Amino acid sequence: HTTDKNSIQIGLRDFEGQVSLPQPPFPPRNAPNLSLSSTSIAVDAGIVIPGINDYYQGSAPDIGAFERGGVSPQFGPRS
């Protein structure tokens, strides 16, 4: 629980893909899909920060690393 009035709490069900905590942590696994599901309370719950999240979809930016429906970033080597 937090005293921050601007925070919301989400769970693993708020993500589009199946997200689980691997046990045991090895061998390495593919990264889970951390896009928000359409029913997540974090969708359209953010505020606009000029120059940071100007390109949101919907009525406001999503809270989280990825904007729902946006282009997901690619990390690591490309072929």
Side-chain angles (χ1 to χ4, degrees):
H1 188 53
T2 180
T3 58
D4 183 356
K5 296 185 184 341
N6 297 313
S7 296
I8 61 171
Q9 183 173 350
I10 65 170
L12 295 178
R13 293 185 181 140
D14 284 282
F15 297 104
E16 189 71 34
Q18 176 75 23
V19 178
S20 62
L21 302 175
Q23 191 61 337
F26 295 99
R29 294 164 177 83
N30 291 331
N33 178 359
L34 296 178
S35 300
L36 294 170
S37 72
S38 61
T39 59
S40 173
I41 61 171
V43 172
D44 296 341
I47 60 169
V48 176
I49 303 170
I52 302 295
N53 61 359
D54 299 327
Y55 301 104
Y56 60 88
Q57 298 181 18
S59 61
D62 298 341
I63 295 176
F66 307 123
E67 179 70 18
R68 179 169 170 74
V71 177
S72 296
Q74 290 185 325
F75 300 103
R78 315 258 191 311
S79 56

